[in-house]
């Protein structure tokens, strides 16, 4: 089998309440070729969230210092809080051959796509708007006001789904995990991710190997 080489960078976005957190957790638990990036945020922890596992929780001042020190691959403000991807982890894990997954919102996704056009972009969505609302409400962790803000934000975000490579509906978690896994594995065989294999083929052919 060909040497795996450098890992692929995948961005997964989805409306708040799309279930993407659960899908990503299952994907990473089931496949050790993936590494999930841990973001920094200025929002407060929700019950059960852990420092360094869910997020690196920062004050706005600390976050702004990370921006100034160029420690972030991308960052965005989302519903009044900063969110960003620390650079170091992403590049070191990709160099080790891991496929790194960023679970980030749309503005960050667009920044990454612009800087790193080889990135695979996946958007996860519940089957319809009603299901999205029921999931947000059912989570019970946000006030009605925040839920309304997130529904409004979802309406804006829907406009940009067309900038992604794949839209995967999260109706059934296992099926959704399987589809995300398949999309990333397929991306390994696109010519833009097979530069080393192409170079080896060219070399062998030029050298007249029989
Ligand atoms: P939540 O507050 O629900 O954990 O996350 C809110 C939104 O921020 C989600 O859409 C999540 O994907 C996004 N997000 C989490 N981490 C990052 C990040 O590092 N960068 C960006 N741009 N968005 C992020």
């Amino acid at each position: 089998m060909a040497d795996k080489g450098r890992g692929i960078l995948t961005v997964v976005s989805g409306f708040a309440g799309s279930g993407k957190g659960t899908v990503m957790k299952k994907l990473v638990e089931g496949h050790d070729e993936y590494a999930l990036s841990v973001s920094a945020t200025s929002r407060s922890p929700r019950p059960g969230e852990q420092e360094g596992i869910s997020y690196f929780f920062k004050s706005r001042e600390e976050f702004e210092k990370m921006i100034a020190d160029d420690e972030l691959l991308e960052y965005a403000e989302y519903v009044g809080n900063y969110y960003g991807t620390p650079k170091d982890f992403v590049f070191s894990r990709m160099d080790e051959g891991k496929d790194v997954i960023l679970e980030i919102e749309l503005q960050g996704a667009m920044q990454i796509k612009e800087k790193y056009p080889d990135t695979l972009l996946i958007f996860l969505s519940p089957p319809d708007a009603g299901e999205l609302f029921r999931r947000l409400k059912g989570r019970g962790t946000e006030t009605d006001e925040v839920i309304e803000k997130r529904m409004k934000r979802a309406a804006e975000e829907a406009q940009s789904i067309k900038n992604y490579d794949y839209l995967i509906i999260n109706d059934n978690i296992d099926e959704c995990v399987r589809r995300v896994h398949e999309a990333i594995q397929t991306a390994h065989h696109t010519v833009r991710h097979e530069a080393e294999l192409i170079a080896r083929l060219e070399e062998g052919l030029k050298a007249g190997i029989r």
Side-chain angles (χ1 to χ4, degrees):
M1 205 173 122
D3 177 12
K4 198 159 179 294
R6 198 163 194 253
I8 286 182
L9 186 59
T10 298
V11 164
V12 176
S13 305
F15 309 123
S18 62
K20 61 188 183 304
T22 315
V23 171
M24 288 307 104
K25 197 163 165 267
K26 259 203 141 164
L27 177 73
V28 173
E29 277 169 7
H31 302 273
D32 64 5
E33 64 265 45
Y34 298 129
L36 195 55
S37 156
V38 179
S39 298
T41 183
S42 66
R43 87 151 158 73
S44 320
R46 291 190 192 119
E49 285 187 331
Q50 284 175 279
E51 168 68 17
I53 296 175
S54 321
Y55 281 104
F56 295 105
F57 294 99
K58 307 279 176 195
S59 64
R60 284 188 77 83
E61 292 69 33
E62 286 169 337
F63 198 101
E64 281 164 3
K65 182 161 187 326
M66 291 179 83
I67 299 171
D69 292 345
D70 197 26
E71 287 176 29
L72 300 171
L73 208 54
E74 59 71 38
Y75 72 93
E77 271 206 85
Y78 176 91
V79 198
N81 289 302
Y82 283 126
Y83 294 82
T85 306
K87 256 184 206 169
D88 280 1
F89 174 89
V90 172
F91 290 137
S92 60
R93 302 316 296 276
M94 282 172 73
D95 287 342
E96 288 165 15
K98 292 271 187 191
D99 291 331
V100 176
I101 302 174
L102 312 183
E103 188 212 310
I104 65 177
E105 55 66 72
L106 210 132
Q107 304 164 72
M110 294 305 114
Q111 289 174 44
I112 297 273
K113 185 71 180 175
E114 191 154 331
K115 279 196 226 164
Y116 309 100
D118 286 354
T119 306
L120 176 69
L121 264 64
I122 299 177
F123 198 92
L124 297 189
S125 174
D128 54 57
E131 179 60 22
L132 180 64
F133 181 74
R134 282 188 292 280
R135 285 189 200 175
L136 273 176
K137 192 90 181 152
R139 198 151 81 170
T141 51
E142 270 105 348
T143 60
D144 284 353
E145 195 196 337
V146 171
I147 292 176
E148 265 326 300
K149 272 194 194 166
R150 293 193 172 212
M151 287 300 289
K152 279 213 182 86
R153 178 68 183 231
E156 288 161 23
E157 287 182 344
Q159 308 289 316
S160 300
I161 297 176
K162 53 186 178 298
N163 296 325
Y164 282 69
D165 297 311
Y166 289 91
L167 170 64
I168 299 179
I169 299 298
N170 179 19
D171 215 358
N172 169 295
I173 295 209
D174 289 330
E175 180 64 11
C176 187
V177 168
R178 195 183 61 74
R179 293 218 172 132
V180 173
H181 175 60
E182 247 173 40
I184 300 174
Q185 293 313 304
T186 304
H188 273 284
H189 302 293
T190 54
V191 287
R192 61 183 207 222
H193 289 296
E194 291 283 27
E196 276 175 38
L197 179 58
I198 294 168
R200 217 165 36 232
L201 279 170
E202 281 178 354
E203 222 171 84
L205 289 167
K206 245 193 242 154
I209 289 176
R210 294 289 180 270

